[in-house]
Amino acid sequence: MSARIIDGTFIASQIRQSVSPGVAAFTARAGRPPCLGIVLVGEDPASGTYVRNKVKAGTESGLHVDLRRLSSSASLDELLAVVRELNASDRHDGILVQAPLPAALGRGAAQQVFDTIDPAKDVDGFSPVSVGRLVQGRALLAPCTPSGVIEMLDRCGITMSGARAVVIGRSEIVGKPMAMLLLQRDATVTVCHSKTPDLPGVGRDADILVAAIGRAGFVTRDFVKPGATVIDVGINRVTDASTAEGLFGASSARMADFAKRGSLVVGDVHPNVAEVAGALTPVPGGVGPLTIAMLLKNTLAAAEARAKSS
Ligand code: NAD
C-alpha cells in the first residue's frame, strides 16, 4: 500500500480564498481592514522565517499586519508592555507573539504573555480564557495548528466521529488542544507522551494518528495500523547527513536536496510510514501551511466578534 499524500498547501490556499471575501466585507463595513499585531523578539532565524510568512500571507489576504520587533536583549516587562499596548489599541483585532521566546526571558515568560493577551484578540488561542473555552467546547479562537488539522481532516473526508485517535505529544500549543478538538468531533482520543509505555502498540490502535513530538522520523511504520490517517505536525531541521540518509536513502531526491542546502526540514514521521498508512501529510507542505491559513481565519473572526460587541 502507498499512502495518499494530503496536499496541505492546496487546502491552505482554499481556506485563504474563503477568508478573502470576509476580509473585503469587513473592510468595507469598518472602513479599515482587520489588523493583526505580530510581536517578534530576538533574532532566531526559524522564527524570522515564520513571521515573514505570516506577514506575507496576511497582507496578501487583505489584512493589515503590524509587525513589532524587539531586540533579543528586551526584558519581559518591555514585551508585556507591547502586548498591553496592542490590547488597548482599538485598531488591533489580533495579537500573536511568536514562539519560542528567547531563553533569557525566563521559563515562565511564554505563560505570562499568554496570561496578558486580551482573550478577545488571542488569535493563537493560548490565553487561559481561550483554553478554558476550548475545553468547554465553545472556543471563539482555537489554536491554529490543531484547528488546521481538523479542517484538513474535514476537507479530505476523513471521519472523526467514532474513530480512534492517538495524539503523540501533550504540549499546550499542539498536543492538548489537538486532543480536545478531536474529542469534540466525537473521536475516542488517547494522548501519549515521553512516559507512555509501548508507544508503537498504542499508535497501532489509531485510525487517526497525530505526531507532535519534535523528533525527526520518530514515528516509524511499526506505530501505524494499515490504512490509518497519519498527521505529521513535526518540523525538525536535520543537518547531519547520516540521519538524513537513514530517513530517505542515499539516492533519494531529498538527499540531493540535502547535498545542495546542507540541511533538510523533516517531520516526526518516518518516510517508511507511507508504505502502511492510508493517508499521510508531508513535511514540508502538510500541516505547516494550514497553521498560517487558520491564523488569517482567526484574525477575521476576532475582528468580526469585536465589531459586533462594540
Ligand atoms: P514540545 O516540545 O512542546 O512538546 C513535545 C511533546 O512530545 C511533549 O509533550 C513530549 O512529552 C512529547 N515527546 C517528546 N519526546 C517524546 C518521546 N520520545 N516519546 C513520546 N512523546 C515524546 O513541542 P510542540 O511545541 O508541541 O511541537 C511539536 C513539534 O511540532 C515540533 O517539531 C514543532 O516544531 C512542531 N510544530 C509545528 C507546527 C506547524 O505549524 N506545523 C506548529 C507548532 C509546532
Side-chain angles (χ1 to χ4, degrees):
M1 187 192 290
S2 186
R4 158 189 175 201
I5 302 299
I6 297 174
D7 186 346
T9 306
F10 175 71
I11 296 170
S13 76
Q14 287 181 321
I15 296 169
R16 284 164 63 166
Q17 275 170 31
S18 75
V19 169
S20 290
V23 170
F26 178 93
T27 306
R29 258 195 330 270
R32 65 164 184 88
C35 174
L36 171 63
I38 299 182
V39 186
L40 174 61
V41 190
E43 314 294 335
D44 177 59
S47 295
T49 306
Y50 293 140
V51 165
R52 248 193 324 280
N53 292 340
K54 287 170 184 175
V55 172
K56 182 168 179 282
T59 309
E60 282 172 3
S61 298
L63 304 180
H64 177 72
V65 184
D66 177 19
L67 173 59
R68 304 290 182 93
R69 286 175 180 276
L70 295 182
S71 80
S72 47
S73 61
S75 67
L76 182 56
D77 281 348
E78 286 171 275
L79 170 58
L80 295 179
V82 174
V83 172
R84 288 195 192 96
E85 181 207 327
L86 299 181
N87 279 348
S89 160
D90 208 30
R91 191 167 65 97
H92 291 81
D93 300 296
I95 303 170
L96 177 153
V97 178
Q98 182 64 41
L101 293 172
L105 289 179
R107 272 177 73 86
Q111 191 59 59
Q112 286 205 51
V113 168
F114 302 154
D115 289 351
T116 303
I117 290 179
D118 178 351
K121 300 186 180 187
D122 177 26
V123 286
D124 255 343
F126 299 150
S127 76
V129 170
S130 305
V131 174
R133 294 189 73 105
L134 178 72
V135 172
Q136 292 175 341
R138 55 190 191 107
L140 295 176
L141 300 165
C144 299
T145 300
S147 58
V149 171
I150 298 290
E151 280 269 350
M152 185 180 246
L153 295 172
D154 269 337
R155 286 171 189 254
C156 292
I158 293 161
T159 306
M160 285 170 266
S161 178
R164 283 193 172 270
V166 171
V167 180
I168 311 182
R170 58 173 163 184
S171 72
E172 306 300 329
I173 66 170
V174 187
K176 283 184 191 170
M178 185 75 257
M180 281 301 142
L181 290 171
L182 285 163
L183 187 61
Q184 278 154 29
R185 297 300 299 269
D186 299 322
T188 301
V189 185
T190 303
V191 184
C192 303
H193 47 78
S194 51
K195 301 284 189 292
T196 303
D198 187 23
L199 266 179
V202 180
R204 279 196 303 275
D205 252 356
D207 303 306
I208 299 170
L209 178 63
V210 181
I213 311 159
R215 288 176 170 234
F218 181 87
V219 173
T220 58
R221 54 176 297 154
D222 309 344
F223 287 63
V224 179
K225 175 161 84 176
T229 297
V230 179
I231 305 292
D232 189 353
V233 180
I235 301 178
N236 311 290
R237 185 165 292 279
V238 172
T239 52
D240 168 50
S242 65
T243 307
E245 204 175 302
L247 288 170
F248 298 105
S251 54
S252 65
R254 297 288 317 260
M255 277 316 285
D257 217 24
F258 182 90
K260 220 163 44 194
R261 297 167 198 268
S263 69
L264 279 182
V265 172
V266 306
D268 290 342
V269 174
H270 195 287
N272 68 16
V273 165
E275 296 159 18
V276 275
L280 174 63
T281 63
V283 177
V287 174
L290 269 290
T291 299
I292 294 187
M294 298 310 286
L295 171 67
L296 308 181
K297 207 172 163 181
N298 273 357
T299 303
L300 174 61
E304 285 173 338
R306 287 184 68 240
K308 226 186 258 170
S309 69
S310 66

